[in-house]
Amino acid sequence: MDDEKFKINKTNIIVLIVDIVLFVLVIISIILLVNSFKDESRLPNLEVTKERTSTSFIRTTTEETTTTTTTTTRRNLNSPYYDVDVDSLLTSELLTKKNLTNEEALEVSKSLFDIASKIFNTSDNSLLDIETTIDYAKEGEIDAITIDGTKYGIIYNGKSLLEKCFTQYYIYEFYNIKIAGNRVIRENKDNYYRVENKLDNVEVVVNDLSVSSVLGSTITANLLYYKSNYKEEGYTSPVYQKMTFKMIYEYGRWKINEFKYPLVD
């Protein structure tokens, strides 16, 4: 009786085979699952963009990198602290031509105004780097001086520069040109100096420059401008102003003879 009860029949064999197959499949699944945890590069990253989700797979890419060397030139912070090549300034032939048309006189006026503006605008260091000179001048150097508590930086080649741009009469008037109560240009021991910045970063914005007359040895020009800090002065829009300046032909070239720069007192 017991032998008959435990006798293996066809049904038992089929069930046994199915069980073995299922067991093998479970083992294979476990192995694959373990390997998938080890290989993280095959799993997607979840990204959130504007409250939406999306998947993006990590991809391995090869990127070629080019190395670039950049050379930065810094001014040598020793005297002289900047360069003024007077010979390279105001070189137009029109500046030495006495008889000019209105168009030619306009070019002369623009050239002279540009240089004069760079000289008198104490916030402009493009021609005269007074800021660097004052900041880095060493004790005992003549490059920077202090007069009545106000600092001045030297104008290298100052005599040649000023005489190329202004008449002798106007140079004599320098002592009357002041900003914030301080003389803009000073002469000290045969050197010329410009005052430290008293304007922050104010600029004269030129709207129009025109020539009103060319009579013999005199050019009269008109400048229509506004100051860049008009908002700081309480205005909501630019306040246009007019300035007249004159040039005369002196010692073989045109020079400024009457000029009141808009940013001085």
Side-chain angles (χ1 to χ4, degrees), residues 169-180:
Y169 166 79
Y170 190 75
I171 291 175
Y172 291 146
E173 292 294 311
F174 277 173
Y175 68 90
N176 286 324
I177 303 173
K178 298 182 179 180
I179 186 169

Side-chain angles (χ1 to χ4, degrees), residues 137-196:
K138 314 300 187 295
E139 185 178 353
E141 292 180 339
I142 63 170
D143 304 73
I145 60 174
T146 301
I147 300 176
D148 297 329
T150 300
K151 297 178 181 179
Y152 288 80
I154 195 170
I155 302 174
Y156 297 117
N157 301 321
K159 182 177 175 63
S160 299
L161 172 64
L162 298 176
E163 288 183 352
K164 195 171 187 178
C165 187
F166 306 106
T167 64
Q168 285 296 324
Y169 166 79
Y170 190 75
I171 291 175
Y172 291 146
E173 292 294 311
F174 277 173
Y175 68 90
N176 286 324
I177 303 173
K178 298 182 179 180
I179 186 169
N182 300 280
R183 288 175 57 181
V184 179
I185 307 292
R186 280 184 177 272
E187 185 179 6
N188 188 345
K189 297 181 180 179
D190 298 325
N191 290 309
Y192 285 94
Y193 294 80
R194 190 180 78 181
V195 72
E196 61 187 318

